[in-house]
Amino acid sequence: MPVATNRQPLAEGSPGGTYGGGSGGGKAKKAKPKRRRSPLWTKLTTALGALLLLASLGTGVTAKYLLSQVTSNVQTTESVLDSGDGVGAVSTGKLPTGAINLLMLGLDTRAGWEESGEGSRSDTIIVLHIPAAHDKAQMISIPRDTLAEIPGAGTEKINGAFYYGSTGKGGWKGGATLAAKTVHNLTGISFDGVIVIDFAGFKDILEALGGVHMCVDMDMWSSHYIINSKGKVEYAKGADPLTAPKNALWFKKGCRDMAAWEALEYSRIRHSAHGDYDRQRHQQQLLKAMAKKATSSGVLTDLSKVSKLLAAAGSSLKMDTNKVSTQDFFFGLKNLATADMMPIRSNSGNFNSSQNNNGELINDVTKQLFEAAAADKMEPFLLGHPEMVIDSNSTS
């Protein structure tokens, strides 16, 4: 049984070529991605990694220099949260001293997608709730197949909101605006910031980190990679099988260091008992691993690594900071550098099928979860619903 290891694949066609998520290997011919590839939630969540890293740098000339590297490259707008209808929280031009809610959207796009007007889906949607104490971050994943009322489009899967807003001349700003309205209408949460990140940027950040330490919680196989006849890992062009092939690449249960391409692939896998919910758990686990690596002494004490990481983060981010300057936005979240990052599952981790089986409904407990986040009452809610908390450090 072939097993994923933390070695760099050496064969042509190895990760980093056609897949775009690896950190090594030879150059391979790029296979045209399928439109329905498993989305990489990770594109957007690296924004938090950048926040954590910047927060831990402290003050002084070095910090200001490094901060300028990320903020000078970030694409910003005020149009997303200034659209009215309570989507954006009331802004004073400063980051709130109380609870903070951020909407994080992930895209899996092709180069030039905005120019072509083809639009993109935000297949990863996370509400990041930071309680008033600013001592933790609670990550609430909204399933991409959730049925929601999309303004101007009717009831459809929620990942279509970004698509309808981004087609034509809408671009990322139009997509983020419609997605924010849709999520606000579904959850009742007003946002203090919206962060959009694409896959290419996430890949660059993860590679700048040099991989992460991950815990595989169950034996799982990759639907995108195989072990070839020479024992090398290679991308299985056009393959997305429903059952494991004989030469499948397996991720075995246990904790170890993973190269960038391995961590990315593990976060994509969803052919398991709970499907997309298992993938959500792995994605949130990856976010925590990235935040831990980004704030480790091995990274923070190496100015070259920090510089490279921040440059990659800055060029990846698209943000609406709700009229707060980008620098103040980053530094205002400095306490997150040492905060507990708590992943939360919606629908208790089970697919809640709609009657027509074409999408997923939000159950009553999840509606209460949204209400708790909007009112900054997550602590008492989670004490009464411990099953909603994901233990992303466990391998059981």
Side-chain angles (χ1 to χ4, degrees):
M1 179 182 294
V3 179
T5 68
N6 62 354
R7 69 182 185 274
Q8 299 292 332
L10 300 177
E12 181 155 330
S14 60
T18 55
Y19 171 58
S23 56
K27 293 183 178 180
K29 295 181 179 179
K30 293 186 177 182
K32 185 176 181 180
K34 294 185 293 184
R35 291 296 297 169
R36 295 188 61 82
R37 285 176 60 187
S38 296
L40 290 172
W41 69 285
T42 47
K43 317 165 184 124
L44 54 106
T45 52
T46 49
L48 181 59
L51 302 183
L52 295 172
L53 180 60
L54 283 166
S56 62
L57 294 175
T59 59
V61 176
T62 300
K64 291 180 180 178
Y65 162 71
L66 294 172
L67 183 60
S68 69
Q69 284 194 295
V70 64
T71 57
S72 62
N73 292 324
V74 175
Q75 295 185 44
T76 60
T77 183
E78 292 185 359
S79 63
V80 174
L81 294 179
D82 197 28
S83 57
D85 302 326
V87 177
V90 176
S91 177
T92 62
K94 297 181 179 180
L95 204 63
T97 56
I100 298 171
N101 290 298
L102 305 178
L103 176 62
M104 310 178 77
L105 304 170
L107 315 179
D108 196 0
T109 60
R110 297 170 177 164
W113 72 275
E114 284 192 278
E115 293 79 0
S116 69
E118 66 179 15
S120 173
R121 293 180 180 270
S122 55
D123 281 333
T124 298
I125 304 170
I126 292 178
V127 174
L128 185 71
H129 176 73
I130 303 168
H134 294 189
D135 59 348
K136 60 176 62 70
Q138 294 154 339
M139 301 176 288
I140 305 172
S141 290
I142 298 179
R144 64 178 185 170
D145 291 337
T146 299
L147 294 177
E149 184 68 25
I150 301 175
T155 301
E156 294 200 26
K157 294 180 181 179
I158 198 168
N159 68 346
F162 196 98
Y163 171 78
Y164 286 114
S166 64
T167 52
K169 296 181 179 180
W172 77 267
K173 296 176 184 178
T177 298
L178 190 56
K181 286 182 179 179
T182 303
V183 176
H184 167 72
N185 292 342
L186 176 71
T187 65
I189 297 172
S190 296
F191 297 106
D192 301 287
V194 175
I195 301 171
V196 180
I197 189 169
D198 61 24
F199 168 61
F202 181 81
K203 178 197 67 174
D204 291 342
I205 296 173
L206 191 53
E207 289 181 349
L209 285 172
V212 290
H213 187 80
M214 295 279 285
C215 291
V216 177
D217 52 16
M218 66 181 80
D219 290 356
M220 301 187 77
W221 53 275
S222 166
S223 57
H224 302 98
Y225 292 95
I226 58 173
I227 305 295
N228 65 22
S229 58
K230 297 180 180 179
K232 306 291 186 180
V233 178
E234 69 176 34
Y235 185 74
K237 297 179 181 180
D240 194 5
L242 298 179
T243 58
K246 293 182 179 179
N247 60 342
L249 172 68
W250 282 85
F251 289 82
K252 301 295 291 182
K253 181 178 178 180
C255 300
R256 60 184 175 80
D257 292 335
M258 287 190 185
W261 70 269
E262 288 184 285
L264 287 172
E265 177 60 12
Y266 179 62
S267 75
R268 303 176 73 194
I269 298 173
R270 62 180 183 136
H271 47 70
S272 54
H274 297 291
D276 202 47
Y277 286 96
D278 283 335
R279 189 185 62 163
Q280 287 178 23
R281 184 176 72 256
H282 299 154
Q283 291 171 346
Q284 291 176 332
Q285 178 191 0
L286 179 54
L287 173 57
K288 291 187 67 174
M290 290 181 65
K292 183 176 182 179
K293 181 70 174 288
T295 55
S296 67
S297 59
V299 173
L300 293 178
T301 57
D302 188 327
L303 187 59
S304 176
K305 288 183 179 180
V306 171
S307 180
K308 183 179 180 181
L309 179 58
L310 294 186
S315 62
S316 310
L317 302 180
K318 300 174 176 65
M319 303 175 65
D320 186 329
T321 57
N322 205 21
K323 297 183 174 65
V324 179
S325 76
T326 311
Q327 291 195 9
D328 288 345
F329 186 86
F330 282 122
F331 271 118
L333 297 175
K334 59 182 179 296
N335 289 340
L336 290 184
T338 56
D340 178 30
M341 298 178 65
M342 182 182 299
I344 309 297
R345 56 166 60 94
S346 55
N347 285 349
S348 301
N350 296 298
F351 187 86
N352 188 26
S353 177
S354 61
Q355 290 184 349
N356 61 10
N357 202 32
N358 184 31
E360 181 172 8
L361 301 176
I362 292 297
N363 63 18
D364 290 338
V365 171
T366 300
K367 293 177 182 178
Q368 296 171 24
L369 170 68
F370 294 151
E371 292 172 357
D376 193 24
K377 295 182 178 180
M378 288 286 285
E379 293 299 317
F381 173 81
L382 293 176
L383 284 174
H385 298 278
E387 76 281 359
M388 305 288 279
V389 179
I390 299 173
D391 181 6
S392 58
N393 292 317
S394 174
T395 59
S396 61

